[in-house]
Amino acid sequence: MVEAGEKSKTTAMASWSVEAVMLPASMVLVQAFTMGALLLSKLALNVGMEPFVLLAYRNLIGAIIVAPFAFYFDRAMVRKVTLKIVGWLSVSALFGIVLAMGLHYYGLRATTPAYSVDFLNLIPVVTFAMAVLLRLEKLAARTLAGRMKMAGTAICVGGTMVASLYKGKLLQPPWPTHLLLRQWHHPAATAPAHHRNMALGTVYLCGSCLAYALWFIVQVRVARLFPCKYLSTTIACVSGTAQALLIGAAVSHGRAASWRLSWDLQLVAVVYSGAFNTGATFCLISWAISRRGPIYPSMFNSLSLVATTVLDSLLLGTVVSVGSLLGSLLIVIGLYAFLWGKGREMQYHHQHPPTSTSSAAADQNNNNKQPPAATIAAAATNADERV
């Protein structure tokens, strides 16, 4: 009996040690996928691929990748899919795919990968601000956690303004630049002149953050109505693909050439984004959240920011300035201050659960109004879990 207990304990410790290595490694891999998708998408957009064409194909690939998981884990729930659920998932796809991703691609085309990745780190903060404006979350300014969230939000906003409005001295990086053009003479290394518009790109990226914030609010409601993450993701990807096809056809004026894919960079960007940045990332982050909670994946977001800045300069020759570095640093500091406050708040709620009476009242209130703000904020802390 004692030997069996010791063997079980040894097995549990071995499993924990493997998990302690695999969890951070998987989150680093997620950041690598995000970085690769940004760079490949930028290259595809530079050679003339339309944002909604890339969006439609990416989510079609994503639906194909996630569908087997939906069939295996959620096949019993297929018969429970109703028009109401499909409607909510279509609204979720409208905010999370068509608006959020579509505006992000337009912003990426007009700016740079290093600049656009700053706005991905702002998504939890923007969601918090949106929840406060909609009266779904209280500031809790009297608590340390609330003050840290407010301070983190202010620092992130300041960092965004610095990165957008202040350039400062141009820095000569300690690595060679423009390798893609100098070594391989690839035309995608330089964006066309009509694509370069930092002001308009910033507007697109800000709109993308707002759409993501609204998506998280809708997504939490969808999760309560239909808690089948693989099946709901598949349906949302299919709906997003259909919506992107319609908008893309209107934007491209029905030109068939805009939708034709060859064995080139555009096909690589589509397959990579759909397979890795939608399918693999979704599975890895879902596993990490189940083991460590929703705050854990966001703690690795600064890796993609630093790596994308380096590779953007290395491959595409993007100029690194004092303003961009200072703005990025402020965004990272603000993000971690916000995440610390949110983690402290979630820990408090976990240690002090509401009484049964207040829980019943909260459930009644949520059924009549909006999803709980704590759930929205918890979901939004993971800026990389995008459909």
Side-chain angles (χ1 to χ4, degrees), residues 275-286:
F276 293 104
N277 221 44
T278 297
T281 293
F282 176 84
C283 296
L284 290 174
I285 288 182
S286 297

Side-chain angles (χ1 to χ4, degrees), residues 84-121:
K84 179 181 179 181
I85 292 173
V86 172
W88 271 105
L89 290 172
S90 297
V91 173
S92 174
L94 174 64
F95 286 112
I97 296 178
V98 176
L99 294 178
M101 290 186 181
L103 291 173
H104 182 80
Y105 279 146
Y106 274 103
L108 176 63
R109 185 173 69 171
T111 60
T112 67
Y115 185 73
S116 66
V117 78
D118 286 340
F119 289 82
L120 295 181
N121 287 277

Side-chain angles (χ1 to χ4, degrees), residues 123-266:
I123 294 173
V125 176
V126 174
T127 305
F128 166 71
M130 182 71 71
V132 171
L133 289 175
L134 295 177
R135 297 184 178 181
L136 300 175
E137 180 161 343
K138 296 181 179 179
L139 286 175
R142 295 183 178 180
T143 65
L144 178 60
R147 288 195 293 269
M148 287 297 290
K149 290 194 300 179
M150 293 171 61
T153 301
I155 295 172
C156 282
V157 171
T160 306
M161 294 179 67
V162 169
S164 304
L165 304 176
Y166 175 68
K167 296 302 178 185
K169 182 181 178 181
L170 300 181
L171 302 176
Q172 181 61 39
W175 52 75
T177 60
H178 241 326
L179 286 184
L180 193 63
L181 182 62
R182 292 197 302 177
Q183 298 295 329
W184 298 288
H185 305 286
H186 203 294
T190 55
H194 63 277
H195 284 182
R196 302 181 193 137
N197 192 331
M198 292 295 292
L200 182 60
T202 300
V203 173
Y204 283 136
L205 292 172
C206 289
S208 175
C209 285
L210 291 174
Y212 271 125
L214 292 172
W215 175 70
F216 277 113
I217 294 173
V218 172
Q219 185 67 12
V220 172
R221 180 70 180 226
V222 170
R224 295 180 63 220
L225 182 67
F226 190 65
C228 303
K229 58 185 178 182
Y230 294 107
L231 183 57
S232 63
T233 298
T234 302
I235 296 174
C237 282
V238 172
S239 176
T241 300
Q243 294 178 52
L245 282 170
L246 292 175
I247 297 176
V251 172
S252 62
H253 304 289
R255 296 191 303 271
S258 301
W259 297 87
R260 190 175 299 117
L261 293 177
S262 304
W263 293 95
D264 56 11
L265 185 63
Q266 297 183 16

Side-chain angles (χ1 to χ4, degrees), residues 10 21 39 62 64 86 111 114 124 151 163 205 238 244 255 261 277 298 304 315 322 334 357 365:
T10 303
V21 174
L39 292 171
I64 294 172
V86 172
T111 60
L205 292 172
V238 172
R255 296 191 303 271
L261 293 177
N277 221 44
S298 294
S304 62
L315 298 178
V322 172
T357 304
N365 183 63

Side-chain angles (χ1 to χ4, degrees), residues 292-328:
R292 293 291 188 271
I295 299 292
Y296 184 77
S298 294
M299 302 306 293
F300 295 82
N301 284 357
S302 59
L303 294 178
S304 62
L305 191 151
V306 174
T308 303
T309 300
V310 173
L311 288 179
D312 195 11
S313 173
L314 183 70
L315 298 178
L316 304 182
T318 299
V319 178
V320 179
S321 66
V322 172
S324 63
L325 289 181
L326 181 59
S328 298

